[in-house]
């Protein structure tokens, strides 16, 4: 192995990912007395969770006492276009209030009313006010609270580990293989159970609200190659407003609070174009509808020179902008040298959230591999074809606790655990082979090629012809990746991490394209120009395996008390934030 150091570590449960879902699982394991190790590829205080601005949902009834978990579940299922798994949704909504109570006990500073009640506000498609928040940095505050709690419990966390393969023997997991991003040393981590909490795949589009080393599909690749199936991979939420300029910041989220506070969308002719797409709700229409409107204006030639539309808050006045949108003001000053109190922002749809991912059991989040669990954005079941704003943070906390409990149960119940030398050797050889190739290609340009083809062929709108072209182009990139050259240096092994990120992106892109082809209808965030209507026969989840076979699963009906509420009239979202 060219004298590369290989260290062996043992843990009762290994958690891959140190965002909210991973840390909450780690906390539960530590409180259960199970030896746990959490690993991630970026600093724990700067995990992707910190980018979640809007809030966390729970039917606490602090502002609207008539709210219930059943109504929360009904809103979630209806917004999912009936593709969410009701069993998963009902667990989430029942347990969300306890998750928020825990956060408060652990010191999270959430907004409160003068009498001390937690403030809850409306988000789009919620019947009642149920979203708790901390300014426009809720995710950062939640991450801080979780890091503090994990530290108090002595949860070991490593921020410098890239996991390249899950170790499986006869359908049962026994650990993971990876390397230290700084010095390249190899790690074999033996564990009774593994929790995968490593994010989604939205970075495979050119404009994404994720940072460039996040959400590259590596969680999907790890799970699929271990023997898991993926589900709903075609269902990706595009946020209507991401930055488009400068190029280095393209995709950076422009919070929906901008429109909630009165921001107006215009094309380059000065037309307030939402009057044509949704004259009743205008800029406060649903996320999928505003994203489609923005895309249409740009694609039909009414966009800006950088490929966006204009979002204007200058009419609100300087003091209002600085008071209500301080983070957005600072973001545009820092990244674009633009004063949004004087000039409009250029925005365009940006890939924002993976609603599909690893197929899991509804209540426990077990996968197809014994001892392996998936949680957070890399798992599927809660969101269906459109995510209800504010549910993602709740999902991380509720199911983070549940998978921690389930993994602890699994770990303590084992009498015998087999370690397969052949699986370890294969993982070692995979890394060795990547480092040995001296080809003509590098990971970064190929990653950009994937992002280009996904944006052009599988973006906000899709067609049969475009998706077929995307698969053809993806095949060319996959072939080029066989001649990939990886050259670590004194600065570290980031080049090797990029190579594995590329592998994750290639697999996630293939699953997304193939499932998007199969879903010949328009439903929620999945818009087919050649099939503009919903097809009742496609009220199913598409399940994808590594052999590219796609099967269909029909979600069960909600419980009777939830079904009655979900079948009611749509929620009027005028005047509500939509994060």
């Amino acid at each position: 192995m060219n004298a590369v150091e290989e260290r062996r570590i043992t843990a009762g449960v290994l958690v891959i990912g140190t965002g909210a879902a991973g840390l909450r699982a780690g906390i539960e394991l530590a409180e259960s007395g199970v030896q746990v190790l959490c690993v991630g590829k970026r600093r724990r205080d700067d995990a992707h969770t910190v980018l979640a601005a809007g809030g966390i949902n729970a039917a606490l009834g602090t502002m609207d006492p008539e709210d219930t978990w059943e109504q929360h579940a009904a809103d979630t299922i209806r917004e999912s276009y009936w593709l969410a798994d009701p069993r998963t949704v009902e667990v989430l909504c029942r347990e969300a209030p306890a998750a928020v109570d825990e956060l408060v006990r652990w010191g999270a500073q959430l907004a409160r009313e003068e009498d001390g009640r937690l403030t809850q506000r409306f988000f789009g498609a919620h019947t009642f006010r149920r979203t708790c928040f901390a300014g426009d940095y809720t995710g950062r505050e939640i991450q801080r609270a979780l890091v503090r709690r994990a530290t108090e419990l002595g949860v070991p966390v490593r921020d410098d580990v890239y996991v390249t393969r899950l170790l499986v023997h006869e359908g049962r997991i026994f650990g993971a293989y990876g390397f230290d991003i700084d010095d390249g040393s190899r790690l074999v981590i033996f564990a009774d159970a593994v929790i995968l909490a490593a994010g989604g795949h939205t970075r495979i589009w050119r404009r994404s609200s994720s940072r460039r080393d996040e959400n590259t599909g590596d969680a999907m690749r790890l799970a699929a190659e271990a023997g898991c199936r993926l589900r709903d991979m075609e269902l990706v939420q595009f946020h209507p407003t991401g930055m488009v300029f400068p190029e280095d910041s393209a995709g950076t989220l422009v919070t929906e609070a901008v429109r909630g506070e009165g921001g107006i969308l215009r094309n380059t002719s000065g037309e307030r174009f939402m009057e044509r797409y949704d004259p009743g709700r205008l800029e406060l229409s649903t996320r999928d509808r505003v994203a489609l409107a923005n895309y249409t204006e740009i694609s039909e030639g009414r966009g800006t020179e950088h490929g966006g539309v204009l979002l204007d808050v200058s009419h609100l006045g300087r003091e209002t902008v600085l008071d209500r949108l301080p983070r957005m003001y600072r973001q545009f000053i820092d990244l674009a040298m633009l004063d949004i109190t004087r000039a409009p922002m250029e925005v365009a749809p940006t890939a924002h959230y993976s609603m599909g991912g690893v197929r899991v059991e509804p209540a426990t989040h077990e996968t197809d591999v014994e001892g392996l669990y998936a949680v957070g954005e890399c798992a599927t079941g809660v969101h269906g074809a459109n995510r209800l704003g504010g549910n993602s943070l709740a999902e991380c906390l509720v199911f983070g606790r549940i998978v921690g409990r389930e993994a602890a149960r699994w770990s303590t119940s084992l009498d015998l655990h087999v370690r397969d030398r052949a699986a370890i050797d294969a993982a070692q050889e995979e890394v060795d082979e990547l480092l040995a190739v001296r080809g003509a290609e590098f990971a970064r340009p190929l990653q950009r090629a994937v992002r280009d083809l996904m944006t052009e062929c599988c973006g906000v709108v899709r067609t049969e012809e475009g998706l077929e072209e995307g698969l053809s182009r993806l095949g060319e990139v996959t072939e080029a990746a066989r001649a990939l050259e990886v050259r670590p240096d004194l600065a570290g092994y980031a080049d090797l991490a990029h190579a594995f990120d590329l592998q994750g992106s290639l697999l996630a892109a293939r699953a997304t394209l193939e499932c998007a082809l199969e879903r010949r209808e328009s439903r929620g965030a999945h818009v087919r120009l050649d099939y503009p209507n919903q097809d009742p026969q496609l009220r199913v989840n598409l399940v994808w395996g590594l052999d590219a076979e796609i099967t269909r699963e029909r979600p069960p009906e909600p419980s009777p008390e939830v079904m009655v509420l979900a079948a009611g009239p749509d929620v009027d979202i005028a005047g509500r934030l939509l994060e």
Side-chain angles (χ1 to χ4, degrees):
M1 204 175 69
N2 299 325
V4 174
E5 181 185 0
E6 183 178 272
R7 285 173 279 172
R8 299 193 167 203
I9 302 171
T10 300
V13 179
L14 170 66
V15 179
I16 303 170
T18 55
L23 286 183
R24 182 60 190 87
I27 289 167
E28 186 69 17
L29 287 156
E31 290 181 338
S32 300
V34 174
Q35 182 190 18
V36 58
L37 171 65
C38 296
V39 301
K41 58 181 182 179
R42 64 182 308 127
R43 293 196 335 265
R44 70 201 76 174
D45 60 352
D46 193 37
H48 185 69
T49 299
V50 306
L51 300 182
I56 178 171
N57 294 335
L60 300 175
T62 60
M63 310 298 288
D64 295 319
E66 60 269 45
D67 196 15
T68 63
W69 74 260
E70 291 94 341
Q71 186 64 63
H72 183 187
D75 292 349
T76 300
I77 290 167
R78 185 163 47 200
E79 190 70 4
S80 79
Y81 289 74
W82 299 90
L83 291 190
D85 190 308
R87 297 164 296 183
T88 309
V89 170
E90 292 181 22
V91 171
L92 169 73
C93 299
R94 271 199 310 268
E95 300 297 327
V100 171
D101 288 344
E102 279 183 335
L103 280 178
V104 172
R105 288 203 307 273
W106 296 340
Q109 299 296 308
L110 302 178
R112 292 183 180 273
E113 297 292 291
E114 290 184 1
D115 62 5
R117 289 174 297 148
L118 286 176
T119 300
Q120 294 190 282
R121 63 185 176 193
F122 274 127
F123 269 8
H126 289 262
T127 303
F128 299 108
R129 290 173 288 180
R130 67 168 67 98
T131 306
C132 303
F133 60 97
D136 59 357
Y137 52 88
T138 308
R140 185 173 294 278
E141 181 60 21
I142 288 174
Q143 187 72 6
R144 285 173 180 164
L146 294 173
V147 169
R148 283 195 300 267
R149 181 60 178 162
T151 302
E152 290 170 359
L153 293 171
V155 176
V157 179
R158 288 197 56 171
D159 300 328
D160 54 0
V161 175
Y162 194 108
V163 174
T164 62
R165 182 176 288 204
L166 300 178
L167 301 175
V168 177
H169 174 71
E170 295 183 353
R172 176 182 290 186
I173 201 154
F174 67 91
Y177 191 89
F179 63 92
D180 185 304
I181 295 173
D182 295 324
D183 64 20
S185 59
R186 310 289 177 80
L187 295 165
V188 182
I189 306 173
F190 295 118
D192 298 330
V194 174
I195 295 172
L196 190 59
H201 70 307
T202 53
R203 191 64 248 188
I204 68 174
W205 281 268
R206 189 186 303 145
R207 289 183 181 135
S208 169
S209 60
S210 300
R211 294 167 291 198
R212 71 179 186 176
D213 60 342
E214 299 172 326
N215 286 351
T216 54
D218 38 328
M220 284 77 168
R221 180 186 68 84
L222 287 171
E225 292 183 349
C228 298
R229 291 168 291 170
L230 308 180
R231 188 173 68 187
D232 293 344
M233 288 295 289
E234 77 282 12
L235 301 177
V236 177
Q237 189 172 67
F238 285 84
H239 196 287
T241 55
M243 294 179 69
V244 299
F245 182 81
E247 179 65 24
D248 285 350
S249 303
T252 302
L253 194 66
V254 178
T255 174
E256 228 137 15
V258 173
R259 287 180 285 125
E261 294 295 343
I264 295 173
L265 286 164
R266 300 188 189 278
N267 57 29
T268 51
S269 300
E271 179 190 13
R272 188 177 186 178
F273 56 83
M274 284 307 300
E275 292 176 347
R276 287 189 285 110
Y277 296 94
D278 192 339
R281 297 180 292 190
L282 299 170
E283 286 80 10
L284 291 179
S285 184
T286 56
R287 187 176 282 181
D288 51 351
R289 186 171 296 187
V290 180
L292 182 58
N294 289 355
Y295 172 87
T296 302
E297 292 297 306
I298 296 163
S299 64
E300 292 183 356
R302 295 184 291 275
T304 67
E305 62 174 313
H306 298 117
V309 292
L310 300 173
L311 177 57
D312 190 13
V313 293
S314 61
H315 59 284
L316 299 178
R318 183 175 179 81
E319 289 305 314
T320 297
V321 171
L322 293 178
D323 179 54
R324 304 301 293 269
L325 301 167
R327 182 170 151 210
M328 286 298 100
Y329 177 81
R330 176 57 59 189
Q331 177 175 302
F332 275 88
I333 287 288
D334 289 347
L335 299 179
M337 287 302 291
L338 178 76
D339 183 347
I340 65 174
T341 68
R342 299 179 179 179
M345 303 158 256
E346 287 183 85
V347 298
T350 182
H352 183 52
Y353 195 87
S354 301
M355 294 175 291
V358 183
R359 182 188 180 279
V360 295
E361 290 301 308
T364 63
H365 274 39
E366 298 171 79
T367 71
D368 297 322
V369 175
E370 284 190 311
L372 176 63
Y373 304 81
V375 65
E377 194 172 353
C378 72
T380 186
V382 171
H383 309 294
N386 202 40
R387 179 172 67 91
L388 187 69
N391 268 356
S392 55
L393 289 172
E395 176 189 14
C396 289
L397 297 180
V398 167
F399 287 104
R401 181 187 67 80
I402 287 171
V403 299
R405 180 193 68 203
E406 293 296 322
R409 179 192 57 78
W410 173 264
S411 175
T412 55
S413 70
L414 284 179
D415 294 322
L416 178 67
H417 210 180
V418 176
R419 299 173 179 174
D420 185 350
R421 179 71 248 183
I424 299 170
D425 289 344
Q428 180 190 99
E429 289 167 8
E430 181 180 41
V431 180
D432 288 343
E433 288 172 3
L434 263 179
L435 291 170
V437 173
R438 289 294 173 261
E441 303 287 350
F442 290 92
R444 281 295 194 204
L446 294 182
Q447 284 177 321
R448 182 54 186 253
V450 173
R451 291 166 186 162
D452 285 345
L453 74 88
M454 290 300 291
T455 299
E456 294 159 16
C457 303
C458 190
V460 176
V461 300
R462 295 133 184 217
T463 65
E464 196 95 1
E465 181 182 7
L467 294 167
E468 293 282 9
E469 179 189 339
L471 281 167
S472 176
R473 289 168 61 179
L474 185 68
E476 294 171 4
V477 179
T478 302
E479 186 60 32
R482 299 182 190 279
L484 193 66
E485 181 161 340
V486 178
R487 284 186 178 269
D489 55 30
L490 291 175
Y493 278 69
D495 206 28
L496 182 58
H498 297 159
F500 278 103
D501 282 346
L502 174 62
Q503 289 190 11
S505 296
L506 291 170
L507 184 144
R510 180 160 68 98
T512 302
L513 287 162
E514 291 175 349
C515 289
L517 263 174
E518 182 77 5
R519 186 170 291 282
R520 292 177 173 88
E521 66 162 354
S522 292
R523 184 183 294 267
H526 175 73
V527 178
R528 287 283 299 261
L529 290 181
D530 45 356
Y531 294 93
N533 301 315
Q534 287 185 41
D535 180 351
Q537 297 303 312
L538 282 169
R539 197 176 121 179
V540 296
N541 303 112
L542 300 182
V543 181
W544 184 92
L546 200 56
D547 58 3
E549 180 184 358
I550 298 174
T551 57
R552 299 181 179 190
E553 293 180 343
R554 183 169 292 275
E557 293 295 313
S559 60
E561 57 268 34
V562 171
M563 186 65 180
V564 169
L565 297 169
D570 288 341
V571 176
D572 179 8
I573 65 171
R576 306 182 184 193
L577 295 179
L578 307 171
E579 191 67 57

mmCIF file with all atom_site columns, all heavy atoms in Angstrom, residues 431-445:
data_model
loop_
_atom_site.group_PDB
_atom_site.id
_atom_site.type_symbol
_atom_site.label_atom_id
_atom_site.label_alt_id
_atom_site.label_comp_id
_atom_site.label_asym_id
_atom_site.label_entity_id
_atom_site.label_seq_id
_atom_site.pdbx_PDB_ins_code
_atom_site.Cartn_x
_atom_site.Cartn_y
_atom_site.Cartn_z
_atom_site.occupancy
_atom_site.B_iso_or_equiv
_atom_site.pdbx_formal_charge
_atom_site.auth_seq_id
_atom_site.auth_comp_id
_atom_site.auth_asym_id
_atom_site.auth_atom_id
_atom_site.pdbx_PDB_model_num
ATOM 1   N N   . VAL A 1 431 ? -9.272  2.822  -3.311  1.00 0.00 ? 431 VAL A N   1
ATOM 2   C CA  . VAL A 1 431 ? -8.513  4.058  -3.100  1.00 0.00 ? 431 VAL A CA  1
ATOM 3   C C   . VAL A 1 431 ? -7.158  3.974  -3.788  1.00 0.00 ? 431 VAL A C   1
ATOM 4   O O   . VAL A 1 431 ? -6.711  4.922  -4.455  1.00 0.00 ? 431 VAL A O   1
ATOM 5   C CB  . VAL A 1 431 ? -8.346  4.342  -1.595  1.00 0.00 ? 431 VAL A CB  1
ATOM 6   C CG1 . VAL A 1 431 ? -7.547  5.630  -1.381  1.00 0.00 ? 431 VAL A CG1 1
ATOM 7   C CG2 . VAL A 1 431 ? -9.706  4.455  -0.909  1.00 0.00 ? 431 VAL A CG2 1
ATOM 8   N N   . ASP A 1 432 ? -6.487  2.827  -3.648  1.00 0.00 ? 432 ASP A N   1
ATOM 9   C CA  . ASP A 1 432 ? -5.167  2.655  -4.280  1.00 0.00 ? 432 ASP A CA  1
ATOM 10  C C   . ASP A 1 432 ? -5.241  2.866  -5.792  1.00 0.00 ? 432 ASP A C   1
ATOM 11  O O   . ASP A 1 432 ? -4.379  3.529  -6.383  1.00 0.00 ? 432 ASP A O   1
ATOM 12  C CB  . ASP A 1 432 ? -4.624  1.249  -3.992  1.00 0.00 ? 432 ASP A CB  1
ATOM 13  C CG  . ASP A 1 432 ? -4.191  1.067  -2.547  1.00 0.00 ? 432 ASP A CG  1
ATOM 14  O OD1 . ASP A 1 432 ? -4.003  2.089  -1.860  1.00 0.00 ? 432 ASP A OD1 1
ATOM 15  O OD2 . ASP A 1 432 ? -4.059  -0.086 -2.107  1.00 0.00 ? 432 ASP A OD2 1
ATOM 16  N N   . GLU A 1 433 ? -6.266  2.311  -6.413  1.00 0.00 ? 433 GLU A N   1
ATOM 17  C CA  . GLU A 1 433 ? -6.391  2.415  -7.868  1.00 0.00 ? 433 GLU A CA  1
ATOM 18  C C   . GLU A 1 433 ? -6.618  3.857  -8.312  1.00 0.00 ? 433 GLU A C   1
ATOM 19  O O   . GLU A 1 433 ? -6.071  4.303  -9.324  1.00 0.00 ? 433 GLU A O   1
ATOM 20  C CB  . GLU A 1 433 ? -7.530  1.514  -8.352  1.00 0.00 ? 433 GLU A CB  1
ATOM 21  C CG  . GLU A 1 433 ? -7.190  0.026  -8.270  1.00 0.00 ? 433 GLU A CG  1
ATOM 22  C CD  . GLU A 1 433 ? -8.384  -0.859 -8.572  1.00 0.00 ? 433 GLU A CD  1
ATOM 23  O OE1 . GLU A 1 433 ? -9.471  -0.299 -8.909  1.00 0.00 ? 433 GLU A OE1 1
ATOM 24  O OE2 . GLU A 1 433 ? -8.268  -2.093 -8.452  1.00 0.00 ? 433 GLU A OE2 1
ATOM 25  N N   . LEU A 1 434 ? -7.423  4.597  -7.562  1.00 0.00 ? 434 LEU A N   1
ATOM 26  C CA  . LEU A 1 434 ? -7.640  6.001  -7.905  1.00 0.00 ? 434 LEU A CA  1
ATOM 27  C C   . LEU A 1 434 ? -6.335  6.797  -7.837  1.00 0.00 ? 434 LEU A C   1
ATOM 28  O O   . LEU A 1 434 ? -6.055  7.633  -8.692  1.00 0.00 ? 434 LEU A O   1
ATOM 29  C CB  . LEU A 1 434 ? -8.663  6.627  -6.954  1.00 0.00 ? 434 LEU A CB  1
ATOM 30  C CG  . LEU A 1 434 ? -10.115 6.708  -7.417  1.00 0.00 ? 434 LEU A CG  1
ATOM 31  C CD1 . LEU A 1 434 ? -10.982 7.340  -6.334  1.00 0.00 ? 434 LEU A CD1 1
ATOM 32  C CD2 . LEU A 1 434 ? -10.242 7.513  -8.698  1.00 0.00 ? 434 LEU A CD2 1
ATOM 33  N N   . LEU A 1 435 ? -5.537  6.507  -6.808  1.00 0.00 ? 435 LEU A N   1
ATOM 34  C CA  . LEU A 1 435 ? -4.290  7.240  -6.645  1.00 0.00 ? 435 LEU A CA  1
ATOM 35  C C   . LEU A 1 435 ? -3.238  6.837  -7.675  1.00 0.00 ? 435 LEU A C   1
ATOM 36  O O   . LEU A 1 435 ? -2.322  7.617  -7.975  1.00 0.00 ? 435 LEU A O   1
ATOM 37  C CB  . LEU A 1 435 ? -3.737  7.020  -5.228  1.00 0.00 ? 435 LEU A CB  1
ATOM 38  C CG  . LEU A 1 435 ? -4.539  7.668  -4.094  1.00 0.00 ? 435 LEU A CG  1
ATOM 39  C CD1 . LEU A 1 435 ? -4.033  7.183  -2.740  1.00 0.00 ? 435 LEU A CD1 1
ATOM 40  C CD2 . LEU A 1 435 ? -4.444  9.192  -4.174  1.00 0.00 ? 435 LEU A CD2 1
ATOM 41  N N   . ALA A 1 436 ? -3.374  5.633  -8.234  1.00 0.00 ? 436 ALA A N   1
ATOM 42  C CA  . ALA A 1 436 ? -2.354  5.129  -9.162  1.00 0.00 ? 436 ALA A CA  1
ATOM 43  C C   . ALA A 1 436 ? -2.535  5.617  -10.597 1.00 0.00 ? 436 ALA A C   1
ATOM 44  O O   . ALA A 1 436 ? -1.580  5.677  -11.373 1.00 0.00 ? 436 ALA A O   1
ATOM 45  C CB  . ALA A 1 436 ? -2.351  3.599  -9.143  1.00 0.00 ? 436 ALA A CB  1
ATOM 46  N N   . VAL A 1 437 ? -3.774  5.988  -10.964 1.00 0.00 ? 437 VAL A N   1
ATOM 47  C CA  . VAL A 1 437 ? -4.041  6.366  -12.358 1.00 0.00 ? 437 VAL A CA  1
ATOM 48  C C   . VAL A 1 437 ? -3.353  7.688  -12.701 1.00 0.00 ? 437 VAL A C   1
ATOM 49  O O   . VAL A 1 437 ? -3.392  8.642  -11.920 1.00 0.00 ? 437 VAL A O   1
ATOM 50  C CB  . VAL A 1 437 ? -5.557  6.495  -12.600 1.00 0.00 ? 437 VAL A CB  1
ATOM 51  C CG1 . VAL A 1 437 ? -5.840  7.061  -13.991 1.00 0.00 ? 437 VAL A CG1 1
ATOM 52  C CG2 . VAL A 1 437 ? -6.232  5.146  -12.427 1.00 0.00 ? 437 VAL A CG2 1
ATOM 53  N N   . ARG A 1 438 ? -2.733  7.733  -13.861 1.00 0.00 ? 438 ARG A N   1
ATOM 54  C CA  . ARG A 1 438 ? -2.170  8.978  -14.390 1.00 0.00 ? 438 ARG A CA  1
ATOM 55  C C   . ARG A 1 438 ? -2.853  9.234  -15.729 1.00 0.00 ? 438 ARG A C   1
ATOM 56  O O   . ARG A 1 438 ? -2.361  8.858  -16.784 1.00 0.00 ? 438 ARG A O   1
ATOM 57  C CB  . ARG A 1 438 ? -0.649  8.883  -14.534 1.00 0.00 ? 438 ARG A CB  1
ATOM 58  C CG  . ARG A 1 438 ? 0.104   8.868  -13.214 1.00 0.00 ? 438 ARG A CG  1
ATOM 59  C CD  . ARG A 1 438 ? -0.057  10.225 -12.500 1.00 0.00 ? 438 ARG A CD  1
ATOM 60  N NE  . ARG A 1 438 ? 0.514   10.213 -11.150 1.00 0.00 ? 438 ARG A NE  1
ATOM 61  C CZ  . ARG A 1 438 ? -0.207  10.046 -10.041 1.00 0.00 ? 438 ARG A CZ  1
ATOM 62  N NH1 . ARG A 1 438 ? -1.516  9.822  -10.140 1.00 0.00 ? 438 ARG A NH1 1
ATOM 63  N NH2 . ARG A 1 438 ? 0.350   10.081 -8.860  1.00 0.00 ? 438 ARG A NH2 1
ATOM 64  N N   . GLY A 1 439 ? -4.030  9.833  -15.654 1.00 0.00 ? 439 GLY A N   1
ATOM 65  C CA  . GLY A 1 439 ? -4.829  10.040 -16.854 1.00 0.00 ? 439 GLY A CA  1
ATOM 66  C C   . GLY A 1 439 ? -4.842  11.489 -17.295 1.00 0.00 ? 439 GLY A C   1
ATOM 67  O O   . GLY A 1 439 ? -4.054  12.317 -16.820 1.00 0.00 ? 439 GLY A O   1
ATOM 68  N N   . ALA A 1 440 ? -5.783  11.787 -18.166 1.00 0.00 ? 440 ALA A N   1
ATOM 69  C CA  . ALA A 1 440 ? -5.857  13.122 -18.751 1.00 0.00 ? 440 ALA A CA  1
ATOM 70  C C   . ALA A 1 440 ? -6.975  13.972 -18.153 1.00 0.00 ? 440 ALA A C   1
ATOM 71  O O   . ALA A 1 440 ? -7.181  15.106 -18.581 1.00 0.00 ? 440 ALA A O   1
ATOM 72  C CB  . ALA A 1 440 ? -6.065  13.005 -20.261 1.00 0.00 ? 440 ALA A CB  1
ATOM 73  N N   . GLU A 1 441 ? -7.705  13.428 -17.176 1.00 0.00 ? 441 GLU A N   1
ATOM 74  C CA  . GLU A 1 441 ? -8.855  14.137 -16.636 1.00 0.00 ? 441 GLU A CA  1
ATOM 75  C C   . GLU A 1 441 ? -8.663  14.460 -15.151 1.00 0.00 ? 441 GLU A C   1
ATOM 76  O O   . GLU A 1 441 ? -7.970  13.741 -14.436 1.00 0.00 ? 441 GLU A O   1
ATOM 77  C CB  . GLU A 1 441 ? -10.127 13.288 -16.794 1.00 0.00 ? 441 GLU A CB  1
ATOM 78  C CG  . GLU A 1 441 ? -10.445 12.879 -18.227 1.00 0.00 ? 441 GLU A CG  1
ATOM 79  C CD  . GLU A 1 441 ? -10.963 14.034 -19.056 1.00 0.00 ? 441 GLU A CD  1
ATOM 80  O OE1 . GLU A 1 441 ? -11.253 15.106 -18.484 1.00 0.00 ? 441 GLU A OE1 1
ATOM 81  O OE2 . GLU A 1 441 ? -11.092 13.859 -20.285 1.00 0.00 ? 441 GLU A OE2 1
ATOM 82  N N   . PHE A 1 442 ? -9.312  15.567 -14.745 1.00 0.00 ? 442 PHE A N   1
ATOM 83  C CA  . PHE A 1 442 ? -9.317  15.943 -13.339 1.00 0.00 ? 442 PHE A CA  1
ATOM 84  C C   . PHE A 1 442 ? -10.760 16.073 -12.862 1.00 0.00 ? 442 PHE A C   1
ATOM 85  O O   . PHE A 1 442 ? -11.676 16.326 -13.656 1.00 0.00 ? 442 PHE A O   1
ATOM 86  C CB  . PHE A 1 442 ? -8.550  17.250 -13.117 1.00 0.00 ? 442 PHE A CB  1
ATOM 87  C CG  . PHE A 1 442 ? -7.073  17.113 -13.320 1.00 0.00 ? 442 PHE A CG  1
ATOM 88  C CD1 . PHE A 1 442 ? -6.504  17.360 -14.551 1.00 0.00 ? 442 PHE A CD1 1
ATOM 89  C CD2 . PHE A 1 442 ? -6.246  16.697 -12.276 1.00 0.00 ? 442 PHE A CD2 1
ATOM 90  C CE1 . PHE A 1 442 ? -5.139  17.217 -14.755 1.00 0.00 ? 442 PHE A CE1 1
ATOM 91  C CE2 . PHE A 1 442 ? -4.881  16.550 -12.472 1.00 0.00 ? 442 PHE A CE2 1
ATOM 92  C CZ  . PHE A 1 442 ? -4.330  16.811 -13.709 1.00 0.00 ? 442 PHE A CZ  1
ATOM 93  N N   . ALA A 1 443 ? -10.957 15.902 -11.569 1.00 0.00 ? 443 ALA A N   1
ATOM 94  C CA  . ALA A 1 443 ? -12.313 15.791 -11.033 1.00 0.00 ? 443 ALA A CA  1
ATOM 95  C C   . ALA A 1 443 ? -13.122 17.062 -11.199 1.00 0.00 ? 443 ALA A C   1
ATOM 96  O O   . ALA A 1 443 ? -14.300 17.021 -11.575 1.00 0.00 ? 443 ALA A O   1
ATOM 97  C CB  . ALA A 1 443 ? -12.261 15.388 -9.556  1.00 0.00 ? 443 ALA A CB  1
ATOM 98  N N   . ARG A 1 444 ? -12.544 18.211 -10.944 1.00 0.00 ? 444 ARG A N   1
ATOM 99  C CA  . ARG A 1 444 ? -13.309 19.451 -10.949 1.00 0.00 ? 444 ARG A CA  1
ATOM 100 C C   . ARG A 1 444 ? -13.975 19.729 -12.305 1.00 0.00 ? 444 ARG A C   1
ATOM 101 O O   . ARG A 1 444 ? -15.173 20.027 -12.356 1.00 0.00 ? 444 ARG A O   1
ATOM 102 C CB  . ARG A 1 444 ? -12.424 20.623 -10.533 1.00 0.00 ? 444 ARG A CB  1
ATOM 103 C CG  . ARG A 1 444 ? -12.190 20.739 -9.029  1.00 0.00 ? 444 ARG A CG  1
ATOM 104 C CD  . ARG A 1 444 ? -13.472 21.046 -8.301  1.00 0.00 ? 444 ARG A CD  1
ATOM 105 N NE  . ARG A 1 444 ? -13.229 21.482 -6.937  1.00 0.00 ? 444 ARG A NE  1
ATOM 106 C CZ  . ARG A 1 444 ? -14.107 21.372 -5.960  1.00 0.00 ? 444 ARG A CZ  1
ATOM 107 N NH1 . ARG A 1 444 ? -15.279 20.815 -6.189  1.00 0.00 ? 444 ARG A NH1 1
ATOM 108 N NH2 . ARG A 1 444 ? -13.836 21.806 -4.749  1.00 0.00 ? 444 ARG A NH2 1
ATOM 109 N N   . PRO A 1 445 ? -13.258 19.671 -13.429 1.00 0.00 ? 445 PRO A N   1
ATOM 110 C CA  . PRO A 1 445 ? -13.938 19.900 -14.716 1.00 0.00 ? 445 PRO A CA  1
ATOM 111 C C   . PRO A 1 445 ? -15.032 18.884 -15.007 1.00 0.00 ? 445 PRO A C   1
ATOM 112 O O   . PRO A 1 445 ? -16.067 19.227 -15.589 1.00 0.00 ? 445 PRO A O   1
ATOM 113 C CB  . PRO A 1 445 ? -12.794 19.796 -15.739 1.00 0.00 ? 445 PRO A CB  1
ATOM 114 C CG  . PRO A 1 445 ? -11.558 20.108 -14.974 1.00 0.00 ? 445 PRO A CG  1
ATOM 115 C CD  . PRO A 1 445 ? -11.795 19.542 -13.615 1.00 0.00 ? 445 PRO A CD  1
#
